[in-house]
């Protein structure tokens, strides 16, 4: 009884986790797609995700945009390797129709790279804000390094107010918070990448097993052919031998007849 309850609970949490990852994935895809091709492009994500290759006219219809608007977006995404296409000839109309699919894994990896760049720039910002003093206008007009402030006699160019030392701690806390958020985001995205890698590994192993099975079947088929050919040769040889024996018998009978 206890076991059952536990087992069910475990299953639920597993499917919950899968659902959570799916949601993270969709959000991440929307994010990278809008970064590359504009905010409206994000609407293509649910149309393309997990759908294989989709007819471009169907995509345009579902997204409620013209085929030219769609192609503009798709070309931008294609330029960043986020989508790929295949074409098929329409036998009725005689022209080619393009089918598009979303390169989910590549898109997620590309978003991780974006975040890594942001991480680097925030880290160097934190570094400079830890080592150097900055001065600000109390009315919020300007923010200058110590050297620049000295050149201006610590006066705001806009209003002439005396500049004040910026509170380092508040700023550092803010940057640290941004860095933490980025780190958290990257960790989630890495979880997705691990999921893809595991799936790729399984697919790869399945492929190896499939190839091995095919080789074994080919070997078995070749053996069957060899056995069949050998049997046929054997039968042929037996027929030839039988014929020769019969002829010998005939000749013997003939000779006997002659003697009489
Ligand atoms: Zn000012």
């Amino acid at each position: 009884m206890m076991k059952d309850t536990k087992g069910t609970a475990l299953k639920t949490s597993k499917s919950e986790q899968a659902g959570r990852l799916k949601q993270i994935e969709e959000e991440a895809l929307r994010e990278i797609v809008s970064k590359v091709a504009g905010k409206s492009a994000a609407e293509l994500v649910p149309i393309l995700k997990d759908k294989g290759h989709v007819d471009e006219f169907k995509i345009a219809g579902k997204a409620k945009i013209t085929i030219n608007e769609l192609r503009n977006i798709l070309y931008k995404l294609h330029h960043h390797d986020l989508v790929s296409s295949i074409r098929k000839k329409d036998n009725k109309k005689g022209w080619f129709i393009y089918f598009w699919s979303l390169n989910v894994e590549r898109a997620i990896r590309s978003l991780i790279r974006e975040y890594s760049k942001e991480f680097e720039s925030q880290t160097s910002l934190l570094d400079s804000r830890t080592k150097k003093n900055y001065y600000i206008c109390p009315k919020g007009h300007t923010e200058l390094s110590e050297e620049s402030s000295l050149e201006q006699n610590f006066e705001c160019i806009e209003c002439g107010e005396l500049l004040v030392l910026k509170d380092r701690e508040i700023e550092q806390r803010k940057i640290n918070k941004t860095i933490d958020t980025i780190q958290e985001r990257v960790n989630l995205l890495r979880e997705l990448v691990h999921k893809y890698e595991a799936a790729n590994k399984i697919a790869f192993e399945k492929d190896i097993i499939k190839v091995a099975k095919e080789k074994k079947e080919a070997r078995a088929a070749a053996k069957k052919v060899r056995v069949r050919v050998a049997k046929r040769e054997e039968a042929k040889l037996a027929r030839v031998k039988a014929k020769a024996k019969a002829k010998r018998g005939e000749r013997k009978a003939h000779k006997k007849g002659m003697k009489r």
Side-chain angles (χ1 to χ4, degrees):
M1 198 68 179
M2 280 295 282
K3 238 184 184 174
D4 271 337
T5 321
K6 219 178 168 185
T8 315
L10 210 72
K11 251 184 209 166
T12 316
S13 78
K14 241 187 186 177
S15 75
E16 263 172 20
Q17 202 203 357
R20 185 184 65 97
L21 279 181
K22 276 277 159 206
Q23 201 187 331
I24 294 165
E25 185 180 62
E26 171 138 1
E27 281 165 10
L29 289 170
R30 281 175 176 272
E31 193 177 339
I32 187 70
V33 163
S34 27
K35 263 186 187 170
V36 167
K39 226 177 168 185
S40 63
E43 297 312 311
L44 299 186
V45 169
I47 298 172
L48 288 171
K49 194 167 111 49
D50 303 323
K51 303 275 164 56
H53 285 90
V54 188
D55 179 336
E56 61 181 351
F57 291 97
K58 271 189 193 152
I59 305 171
K62 279 188 181 165
K64 296 189 179 86
I65 52 176
T66 68
I67 195 78
N68 283 332
E69 283 167 337
L70 173 71
R71 282 178 185 157
N72 265 332
I73 295 172
L74 288 171
Y75 294 153
K76 276 182 205 159
L77 296 176
H78 189 241
H79 185 70
H80 286 81
D81 222 6
L82 302 185
V83 290
S84 41
S85 68
I86 50 168
R87 55 173 210 174
K88 281 184 197 159
K89 198 165 183 176
D90 185 320
N91 287 330
K92 273 188 211 156
K93 291 165 189 152
W95 63 48
F96 284 103
I97 294 179
Y98 284 79
F99 293 74
W100 294 86
S101 72
L102 200 56
N103 298 335
V104 174
E105 185 174 347
R106 237 170 274 162
I108 300 295
R109 286 184 190 273
S110 159
L111 186 59
I112 291 178
R113 279 197 298 278
E114 293 287 317
Y115 273 121
S116 303
K117 276 184 226 158
E118 182 63 18
F119 183 84
E120 293 288 324
S121 87
Q122 289 293 326
T123 313
S124 73
L125 181 67
L126 182 67
D127 190 52
S128 89
R129 295 291 151 132
T130 310
K131 286 178 187 155
K132 289 179 189 166
N133 280 326
Y134 285 82
Y135 291 83
I136 52 170
C137 162
K139 289 178 183 167
H141 291 128
T142 183
E143 178 184 320
L144 297 170
S145 67
E146 192 153 29
E147 303 87 64
S148 308
S149 304
L150 203 63
E151 279 168 23
Q152 314 250 346
N153 286 325
F154 293 92
E155 279 172 10
C156 175
I157 321 169
E158 294 251 346
C159 66
E161 276 288 335
L162 211 58
L163 300 176
V164 293
L165 186 64
K166 196 174 184 185
D167 190 333
R168 274 197 211 179
E169 249 182 62
I170 291 175
E171 174 137 61
Q172 283 166 16
R173 230 178 291 147
K174 225 166 113 187
I175 299 170
N176 267 320
K177 214 175 158 190
T178 308
I179 289 176
D180 285 348
T181 311
I182 294 170
Q183 194 65 61
E184 232 170 81
R185 203 79 190 103
V186 168
N187 286 343
L188 279 178
L189 295 174
R190 290 229 167 96
E191 227 181 294
L192 280 176
V193 169
H194 289 152
K195 192 187 88 176
Y196 303 142
E197 279 169 351
N200 290 343
K201 200 175 161 238
I202 289 168
F204 180 67
E205 279 165 1
K206 268 190 186 162
D207 225 32
I208 289 177
I209 291 167
K210 198 179 151 206
V211 168
K213 201 180 156 201
E214 278 168 2
K215 268 190 186 166
K216 200 180 163 190
E217 279 167 1
R219 271 201 304 273
K223 198 182 168 189
K224 249 186 195 170
V225 170
R226 272 202 311 277
V227 168
R228 211 184 302 142
V229 168
K231 269 188 182 163
R232 209 185 295 148
E233 291 293 316
E234 219 174 278
K236 208 172 153 188
L237 195 65
R239 273 201 306 279
V240 170
K241 273 184 179 168
K243 235 184 192 174
K245 202 180 167 188
K247 262 197 179 156
R248 270 203 308 276
E250 257 173 48
R251 261 200 304 270
K252 256 186 191 168
H254 189 65
K255 268 184 187 169
K256 263 186 187 169
M258 290 279 280
K259 271 180 187 170
R260 268 184 200 158

